[in-house]
């Protein structure tokens, strides 16, 4: 605020004024000419009455001096003209309306100078009309009267030097002519010399007076500007000014300061500042740390800025921001403090909300990843310091994605909120649970010295989260997989410990979920193996390390007629050897490589199938990533076109998992596939959700019964027998074929044939074989598989 005033050019005081500028012949350097003109106008207005009165008084003296000497007509004409002119002058320059303007221009100054010249001429004419009638002694008397007027001009009109100069110059010249007329040559020279001295003195006095007036104007303008700024500052709403005396009591209490205190200004005046700010805490004597800081600053008479202090009035807490500096007298004595204050309660509450949002999850209200990592870092430091252990649990919800995809994100969000409440009920002061993101939660255990404590807590969490949930009239079942790690043994930093817990969690998920695993060092080795395997997989297609093998599918009738093959991927890597699909397929899916690999299998199988008899089909497994990829249908059409294979000879096998990611999209894609004439097969039916809705929404050609039921039926397990009978009956009613997988013995074959499955696949009829060996199976006369 003060910097604005200092930088304003209109507040600069000129170091000097030239005579040209004083006389109005040039604009002053460093100062607006309007400033000088306003000062001149104000001076003329203030002295108009005195000027007219003195002129009339001295004119009467001149008339009295020559009453017996000068002719009556000369006395009457000069006196009448003089009175009329000066009465008109009083009317012109003395009336308020004549000066009731904010600014004065050069014409106003010119009018003043003209008036001065006429006045001087009238006095000069007295030396002709009156002085010519008397002797040199009367001339001296008249000159003495006029000299008084000249002295008046130099002293009483210092801010109008041009007018004074004109008056003194003209009257001195006329007086010298009068003296010459009477032979007083020395007196003529003296008259001119005195006039010159008066003009010089007038100019000197004018310079000093104008600078003085300019300085006063600057001070007044500054004062008005500061007052205006202070009023605007006070009226702006948020801030107020405050001041204390030597005893640290409030003085000059502003209305806004009193309003902030909820009191009248008179009631606040003279009260100790600390008492006013302490509010309700003053009587109890229990002050917050911020108030102690304020008291110390006031006691040490130190400046302070942006000091936040809490104040409580009538049970309502507010927050003030105070800044102040000590005041000192000219001799250095301490006078008190002057400062500014503002209510920052809303800003502080907003800052607290932002801080809360930065550290807490908005959906569940649990601590977020930031707060969890900070707490874990503190727990690790304490564990290192006191030579104990801390723990970290990483929790992933099982089957949550199915809920999100089938019932929608709003239901999933409400389910997460219920999960959070169950976790909070389990926690003690020794644990902090939070949400990492998505369906992942975590628990920081500050003291995990008891080796059984972590396992017990993990089991309690799994049991609690596995209980059914009621969300929007839906009964939902999910589970929880947990991985745990102990610090500092399993990781000395937050990142390492969280990574160890994540590896243990991956182990739990790999085991089917709903279980807990501790971190073991071999998990790191497994993770490293997966990383290396992923690296090798990325180059496997280019290096032609993949090949396709084919397992026969036969008719379940007694003839065991070969009806086709299922294409199975195999990978022979120089580093890992022959890698099982159960091992590398999950890695390929996680690495987003399965789409390219699936494209390779599809094209290879279509090409190889063209070498088989026209009645033989080839079945290709399709992953959920392939099915939901952007150009899957176009890829299938391209594979058929490039190989020449008829669409009805290609069968695509999918599992129930495709409906869990995006069921609507899966149904749309499968409908397009079937519209091309391609056969569809539902693999592993009975091992997943086994929803009949899949069979209602998609027209499958084949349902494959998992080998686990085949083996159970061969052992006369009632459950397996009942499931296979139900699946076969359902398929027959829908005109869908059934294929039994994993038939390895003659007893299993007999049981499957008895249960009514239409097709059979398994080691009993042949292991997966290379393409060349598959061709040999068609060389027999009846294409039977023994």
């Amino acid at each position: 605020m003060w910097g604005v005033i200092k930088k304003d050019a209109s507040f600069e005081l000129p170091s000097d004024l030239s005579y040209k500028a004083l006389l109005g012949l040039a604009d002053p350097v460093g100062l607006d000419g309007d400033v000088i003109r306003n000062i001149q106008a104000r001076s003329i207005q203030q002295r108009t009455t005195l000027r007219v009165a003195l002129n009339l008084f001295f004119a009467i003296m001149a008339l009295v001096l020559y009453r017996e000497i000068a002719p009556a007509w000369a006395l009457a004409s000069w006196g009448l003209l003089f009175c009329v002119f000066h009465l008109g002058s009083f009317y012109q320059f003395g009336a308020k309306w004549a000066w009731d303007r904010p600014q004065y221009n050069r014409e106003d100054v010119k009018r003043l100078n003209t008036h001065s010249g006429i006045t001087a001429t009238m006095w000069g004419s007295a030396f002709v009309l009156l002085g010519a009638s008397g002797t040199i002694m009367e001339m001296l008397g008249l000159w003495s009267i006029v000299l008084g007027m000249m002295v008046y001009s130099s002293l009483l009109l210092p801010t109008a030097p041009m007018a004074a100069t004109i008056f003194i110059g003209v009257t001195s010249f006329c007086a010298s002519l009068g003296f010459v007329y009477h032979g007083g040559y020395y007196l003529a020279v003296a008259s001119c010399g005195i006039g010159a001295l008066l003009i010089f003195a007038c100019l000197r006095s004018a310079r000093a007076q104008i600078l003085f007036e300019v300085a006063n104007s600057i001070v007044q303008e500054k004062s008005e500007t500061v007052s205006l700024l202070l009023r605007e500052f006070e009226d702006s709403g948020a801030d107020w000014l405050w001041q204390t005396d030597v005893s640290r009591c409030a003085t000059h209490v502003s209305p806004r300061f009193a309003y902030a205190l909820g009191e009248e200004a008179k009631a606040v005046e003279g009260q100790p500042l600390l008492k006013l700010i302490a509010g309700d805490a003053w009587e109890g004597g229990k002050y917050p740390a911020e108030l102690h800081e304020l008291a110390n600053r006031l006691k040490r008479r130190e400046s302070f800025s942006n000091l936040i202090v809490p104040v409580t009035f009538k049970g309502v807490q507010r927050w003030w921001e105070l800044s102040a500096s000590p005041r000192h007298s000219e001799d250095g004595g301490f006078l008190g403090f002057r400062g500014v204050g503002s209510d920052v309660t809303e800003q502080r509450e907003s800052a607290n909300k932002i801080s809360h949002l930065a550290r807490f999850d908005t959906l569940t209200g649990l601590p977020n990843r930031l707060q969890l990592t900070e707490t874990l870092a503190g727990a690790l430091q304490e564990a290192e310091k006191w030579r104990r252990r801390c723990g970290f649990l990483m929790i992933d919800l099982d089957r949550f994605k199915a809920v999100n995809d089938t019932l929608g994100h709003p239901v999933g969000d409400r389910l997460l909120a219920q999960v959070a409440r169950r976790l909070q009920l389990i926690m003690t002061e020794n644990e902090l649970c939070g949400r990492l993101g998505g369906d992942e939660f975590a628990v920081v255990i500050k003291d995990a010295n008891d080796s059984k404590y972590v396992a017990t807590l993990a089991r309690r969490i799994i049991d609690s989260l596995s209980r059914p949930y009621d969300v929007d009239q839906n009964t939902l079942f999910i589970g929880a997989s947990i991985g745990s790690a102990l610090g500092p043994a399993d990781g000395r930093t937050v990142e390492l410990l969280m990574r160890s817990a994540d590896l243990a969690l991956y182990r739990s998920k790999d085991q089917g979920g709903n279980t807990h695993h501790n971190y073991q060092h071999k998990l790191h080795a497994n993770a490293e193996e997966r990383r290396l395997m992923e690296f090798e997989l990325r180059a496997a297609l280019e290096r032609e390390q993949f090949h396709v093998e084919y397992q026969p599918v036969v008719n379940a009738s007694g003839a065991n007629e070969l009806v086709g093959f299922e294409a199975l991927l195999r990978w022979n890597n120089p580093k890992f050897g022959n890698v099982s699909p159960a091992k590398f397929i999950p890695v390929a899916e996680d690495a987003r490589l399965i789409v390219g690999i699936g494209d390779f299998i599809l094209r290879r199988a279509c090409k190889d199938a063209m070498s088989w008899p026209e009645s033989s089909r080839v079945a290709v497994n399709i992953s959920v990533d392939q099915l939901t990829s952007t150009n899957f249908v176009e890829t299938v059409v391209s594979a058929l076109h490039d190989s020449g294979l008829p669409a009805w000879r290609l069968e695509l096998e999918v599992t129930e998992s495709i409906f869990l990611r995006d069921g609507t999209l899966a149904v749309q894609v499968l409908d397009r596939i079937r519209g091309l004439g391609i056969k569809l097969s539902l693999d592993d039916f009975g091992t997943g959700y086994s929803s009949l809705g899949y069979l209602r929404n998609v027209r499958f050609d084949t349902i494959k019964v998992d080998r686990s039921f085949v083996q159970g039926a061969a052992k006369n397990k009632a459950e397996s027998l009942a499931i296979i009978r139900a699946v076969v009956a359902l398929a027959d009613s829908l005109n869908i074929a059934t294929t039994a997988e994993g038939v390895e013995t003659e007893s299993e074959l007999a049981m499957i044939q008895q249960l009514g499955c239409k097709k059979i696949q398994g080691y009993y009829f042949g292991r997966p074989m290379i393409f060349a060996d598959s061709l040999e199976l068609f060389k027999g006369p009846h294409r039977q598989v023994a």
Side-chain angles (χ1 to χ4, degrees), residues 139 245 323 421 478 516 601 645 696:
M139 182 64 71
D245 56 16
S323 300
R421 286 194 290 272
I478 60 172
H516 162 245
I601 302 172
L645 184 71
R696 180 190 63 195

Side-chain angles (χ1 to χ4, degrees), residues 372-384 388 390 444 446 494:
L372 283 170
T373 55
E374 290 178 351
T375 305
L376 183 57
L380 279 170
Q381 290 179 354
E382 290 294 311
E384 291 274 10
R388 65 186 187 195
C390 64
V444 177
K446 301 171 186 177
V494 171

Side-chain angles (χ1 to χ4, degrees), residues 617-676:
R617 296 176 180 168
V618 62
V620 180
N621 290 281
I622 302 299
S623 72
V624 62
D625 290 328
Q626 283 180 272
L627 191 70
T628 56
S629 62
T630 306
N631 300 317
F632 175 67
V633 176
E634 289 75 10
T635 300
V636 175
V637 172
S638 174
L640 292 174
H641 178 270
D642 293 346
S643 63
L645 184 71
W648 64 269
R649 292 185 61 189
L650 176 63
E651 184 174 73
L652 299 182
E653 294 187 7
V654 297
T655 62
E656 293 173 286
S657 61
I658 65 170
F659 299 102
L660 299 181
R661 175 177 295 185
D662 193 337
T664 303
L665 176 62
V667 171
Q668 293 175 351
V669 174
L670 291 176
D671 283 344
R672 292 180 61 191
I673 292 294
R674 203 168 194 284
L676 297 174

